[in-house]
Amino acid sequence: MTNCMESYYPNYTDDEGFLFYPLEYLITMEEEFARNPLYTVTVTSETVILFAEYMNKSWWYGFKYNAEAGRYVIGIIPDKNRFKPIAGSLADFIRLYMVDAPDLYDYE
């Protein structure tokens, strides 16, 4: 068992530039962007929980939970206005991470 990259947080990444947040540091997308005065935050009913970042916040990875469907989707978040789905489960996301899949870098 591990608590993500607790020994790296908040300043270090793995060799590929990824940082997975320890559980106690998970944050909503709205909270992350509210920290930066350059962003105007619009809170919606679809809260996104950020659990990882790439290259010191070049972009983030988070999950969006759909309570009605009882499912979640993991996406890449390049800015406050975009959430691009890339995986349907944490297992799928970890598989992408382990093989360094191109999907992890494609936020367009």
Side-chain angles (χ1 to χ4, degrees):
M1 291 185 70
T2 184
N3 189 6
C4 293
M5 295 177 165
E6 188 170 25
S7 62
Y8 290 113
Y9 187 85
N11 297 314
Y12 301 106
T13 65
D14 67 6
D15 291 340
E16 303 301 323
F18 289 88
L19 175 63
F20 287 82
Y21 299 159
L23 290 174
E24 61 270 20
Y25 293 103
L26 295 181
I27 187 170
T28 67
M29 189 170 130
E30 291 84 8
E31 290 169 322
E32 177 64 37
F33 286 108
R35 292 178 179 183
N36 188 332
L38 297 176
Y39 293 108
T40 302
V41 177
T42 304
V43 178
T44 69
S45 60
E46 294 188 344
T47 298
V48 175
I49 305 295
L50 304 179
F51 67 88
E53 64 185 62
Y54 179 71
M55 298 293 284
N56 295 311
K57 300 186 179 185
S58 291
W59 60 76
W60 296 261
Y61 300 92
F63 65 89
K64 186 186 306 185
Y65 180 67
N66 181 328
E68 291 177 13
R71 300 182 344 192
Y72 67 93
V73 63
I74 293 175
I76 186 169
I77 299 112
D79 60 52
K80 75 174 189 75
N81 296 313
R82 292 189 285 167
F83 178 94
K84 180 184 178 188
I86 59 172
S89 70
L90 184 58
D92 288 344
F93 182 84
I94 297 299
R95 182 187 52 76
L96 293 172
Y97 171 75
M98 296 300 291
V99 300
D100 198 27
D103 292 353
L104 294 173
Y105 307 95
D106 181 14
Y107 57 80
E108 293 299 327

